[in-house]
Amino acid sequence: MQIRTLFFWSSLFFLAACSKPSELGLSLVEQDPANIIYTDSLSLDLQTVLTDPLTSSARTRWICGSYLDPIFGKTEAGLYANFRLTSSNASFPNASFDSLVLSLAYDSVGHYGGNISQLGVQEWQVYRLTEDIDPDEDYSADTEFLTGDLLADFSFIPKVNESVSVDDAALDPQLRIRLADSLGQYLMQPDSAIYSSNSVFKEAFKGVYIRPKTNGQQSAILRFLSESAYSKLTLYYTDSAGVAQSYDYLMDDDAESVLNISHDYSNTTVLQNNSSDSIVYLQGMNGLGVRLAFPHLANLGAIIVNKAELVIQLAEEQDRNFPAPDQLFCLEKTSTDGYLLIDDVTSSVNLNPSDPFRLFGGLLSYDGDQAYFAMNLSEYLQRLVDQETEEAALYIQTAAITDTERMRIGNGQASSLQAKLFLTYTKID
């Protein structure tokens, strides 16, 4: 999906409280309360759909890794990235190479696939890129670049909350990967012209591809901070005076990155899903969305929508290894722009920039032990009634491509935990 508006907010984590169905919105029109009609029995058809490839370049978060979900199948994510110079015209006269280390700063949240404090061995690889990442191109999550030499084949146990000791200094949690000495030696003794500018350097060294090893041990998708000072490539060397030195190649600002994400649902039933089933499936990381249609909305005739609140419920108890998303969004499909956030989301952000999703909702909430999401659809439902949309449906998905969570939802046809629309409206004669 090309979602123009969504990605401006995809890196925000302003999560606001939402409420059960309420009388909010009744003041939108002046009318006799006797003419106000309330219903919670309007039919809803929810169906699992594949999300179109989302833009995955220039993310503020990265994801990498692989895991096998007993319900949703296999998910795999890799990272293409290049580097920028710390300073131009770097040189290493009469210096000796020590090592070349790629470091990726762990995010504090967003790791997925198991108990984060007890994750098992992960087996990853790093390859050298042989194809340019164009800084002016928007790449989608199914993009693949050409790669060359294997730079690292390694295993590790993620320690996402533990500091790392480097040269007797305690640094923020990070994954550190030693790359092939041959690349470090090349970077120390190249044609000095490659350090003249970032563009020249990136032409000479196009970057790396970090990915889970095929058929290797995997149990999690890990999330990293792209703009952290600890996400970088570091060349360690000893100068001509015998003093240990280092030079950093950074991954922020003038560097590019692209996520490559794939899902294998072949051994699952998640796509064998239709609007009559009691369960629908939703997954982040450019996986699965939910299409919601209102097959009998037209039977209401001409109405003014005072308040329309959609409530969807998790169809199972929360699994600590596979928790549900924190935030959901709703989108509409257009023939020209792909998928755009519905009016209720954009209005919520525009009216409350300091608390952008308060009016829309979409936040994971609880009624006792039952988890649910409540979303205000008043503006969009009015457009559906007035036949101003290109499709008589909306689409529900996670807020960002790097949201790793998944869940099962009760459909409108379910015998319990049904999705419901709580609608208050006025009939127009």
Side-chain angles (χ1 to χ4, degrees), residues 11 18 21 24 39 51 57 62 67 74 98 120 142 149 158 214 223 230 233 243 255 338 357 362 402:
S11 62
C18 61
L24 293 174
T39 180
T51 52
S57 49
W62 293 325
Y67 74 93
K74 185 177 182 180
D98 293 329
D142 58 351
D149 295 339
T214 302
R223 196 158 77 169
Y230 295 113
L233 181 65
V243 178
F357 309 127
T402 52

Side-chain angles (χ1 to χ4, degrees), residues 338-399:
Y339 292 77
L340 301 175
L341 291 169
I342 64 171
D343 298 331
D344 301 273
V345 179
T346 55
S347 294
S348 180
V349 173
N350 292 335
L351 292 172
N352 301 276
S354 63
D355 192 3
F357 309 127
R358 181 173 64 85
L359 294 180
F360 169 70
L363 176 70
L364 177 64
S365 303
Y366 290 88
D367 182 5
D369 294 331
Q370 179 58 47
Y372 71 94
F373 296 82
M375 291 168 275
N376 177 23
L377 308 181
S378 304
E379 292 182 66
Y380 186 70
L381 203 71
Q382 185 68 64
R383 291 182 58 220
L384 284 181
V385 169
D386 297 339
Q387 299 183 353
E388 295 178 353
T389 64
E390 295 187 32
E391 183 179 4
L394 57 79
Y395 293 80
I396 306 170
Q397 66 180 55
T398 58

Side-chain angles (χ1 to χ4, degrees), residues 20 36 52-53 125 145 177 297 331 359 364 372 396:
K20 280 289 196 176
I36 296 174
D52 290 348
Q125 293 175 320
F145 293 87
I177 309 164
L297 181 63
L331 305 100
L359 294 180
L364 177 64
Y372 71 94
I396 306 170

Side-chain angles (χ1 to χ4, degrees), residues 1 3 6 45-52 54 281-282 288-294 310 312 328-334 338-342 345 360 375 377 380 384 389-399 409:
M1 301 180 187
I3 307 173
L6 175 59
D45 285 345
L46 283 76
Q47 186 172 358
T48 305
V49 294
L50 287 168
T51 52
D52 290 348
L54 299 167
Y281 304 85
L282 186 147
L288 302 172
V290 173
R291 182 183 184 272
L292 169 60
F294 307 87
L310 172 69
I312 59 176
L328 298 180
F329 279 158
C330 292
L331 305 100
E332 65 175 296
K333 189 175 184 179
T334 74
Y339 292 77
L340 301 175
L341 291 169
I342 64 171
V345 179
F360 169 70
M375 291 168 275
L377 308 181
Y380 186 70
L384 284 181
T389 64
E390 295 187 32
E391 183 179 4
L394 57 79
Y395 293 80
I396 306 170
Q397 66 180 55
T398 58
I409 302 168

Side-chain angles (χ1 to χ4, degrees), residues 66-75 110-116 119 218-221 282-283 285 314 316-326 364 366 371 404-408:
S66 177
Y67 74 93
L68 184 63
D69 187 303
I71 297 173
F72 285 72
K74 185 177 182 180
T75 295
H111 313 290
Y112 205 76
N115 186 337
I116 297 306
L119 289 176
Q218 319 291 345
S219 64
I221 298 286
L282 186 147
Q283 184 181 30
M285 296 179 290
L314 269 66
E316 58 193 349
E317 186 176 338
Q318 283 266 44
D319 185 331
R320 65 177 298 180
N321 291 332
F322 302 103
D326 289 325
L364 177 64
Y366 290 88
T404 48
E405 301 85 4
R406 55 77 154 173
M407 65 181 180
R408 296 193 296 172

Side-chain angles (χ1 to χ4, degrees), residues 125-391:
Q125 293 175 320
V126 181
Y127 288 87
R128 184 169 178 171
L129 274 181
T130 58
E131 183 178 356
D132 293 324
I133 303 176
D134 187 342
D136 298 320
E137 183 75 22
D138 289 329
Y139 294 100
S140 58
D142 58 351
T143 301
E144 296 183 351
F145 293 87
L146 297 175
T147 59
D149 295 339
L150 178 65
L151 300 176
D153 189 334
F154 66 105
S155 62
F156 67 103
I157 297 176
K159 303 293 185 182
V160 300
N161 296 316
E162 294 185 13
S163 61
V164 175
S165 179
V166 179
D167 295 331
D168 297 323
L171 305 181
D172 289 352
Q174 59 190 268
L175 174 62
R176 297 178 64 82
I177 309 164
R178 178 161 180 168
L179 301 187
D181 290 355
S182 57
L183 176 59
Q185 292 163 349
Y186 166 77
L187 294 175
M188 279 190 63
Q189 300 175 353
D191 179 343
S192 60
I194 75 167
Y195 286 93
S196 61
S197 69
N198 283 324
S199 59
V200 172
F201 176 76
K202 287 186 284 188
E203 178 62 29
F205 176 44
K206 301 181 188 301
V208 297
Y209 176 38
I210 311 160
R211 55 155 297 160
K213 184 177 181 178
T214 302
N215 298 322
Q217 295 184 71
Q218 319 291 345
S219 64
I221 298 286
L222 303 177
R223 196 158 77 169
F224 301 94
L225 302 172
S226 64
E227 298 179 353
S228 169
Y230 295 113
S231 293
K232 61 184 177 179
L233 181 65
T234 303
L235 174 66
Y236 293 95
Y237 65 97
T238 302
D239 66 18
S240 57
V243 178
Q245 303 281 5
S246 65
Y247 182 87
D248 290 336
Y249 307 86
L250 305 182
M251 304 178 80
D252 58 359
D253 298 334
D254 193 30
E256 287 77 45
S257 62
V258 180
L259 299 174
N260 176 266
I261 304 171
S262 63
H263 301 270
D264 184 357
Y265 300 116
S266 59
N267 294 318
T268 75
T269 61
V270 298
L271 295 179
Q272 300 169 20
N273 185 251
N274 57 61
S275 59
S276 64
D277 290 339
S278 61
I279 298 292
V280 290
Y281 304 85
L282 186 147
Q283 184 181 30
M285 296 179 290
N286 213 161
L288 302 172
V290 173
R291 182 183 184 272
L292 169 60
F294 307 87
H296 301 127
L297 181 63
N299 294 346
L300 299 180
I303 65 172
I304 295 174
V305 176
N306 306 127
K307 177 68 178 178
E309 188 172 50
L310 172 69
V311 175
I312 59 176
Q313 303 186 72
L314 269 66
E316 58 193 349
E317 186 176 338
Q318 283 266 44
D319 185 331
R320 65 177 298 180
N321 291 332
F322 302 103
D326 289 325
Q327 176 78 51
L328 298 180
F329 279 158
C330 292
L331 305 100
E332 65 175 296
K333 189 175 184 179
T334 74
S335 59
T336 56
D337 297 307
Y339 292 77
L340 301 175
L341 291 169
I342 64 171
D343 298 331
D344 301 273
V345 179
T346 55
S347 294
S348 180
V349 173
N350 292 335
L351 292 172
N352 301 276
S354 63
D355 192 3
F357 309 127
R358 181 173 64 85
L359 294 180
F360 169 70
L363 176 70
L364 177 64
S365 303
Y366 290 88
D367 182 5
D369 294 331
Q370 179 58 47
Y372 71 94
F373 296 82
M375 291 168 275
N376 177 23
L377 308 181
S378 304
E379 292 182 66
Y380 186 70
L381 203 71
Q382 185 68 64
R383 291 182 58 220
L384 284 181
V385 169
D386 297 339
Q387 299 183 353
E388 295 178 353
T389 64
E390 295 187 32
E391 183 179 4

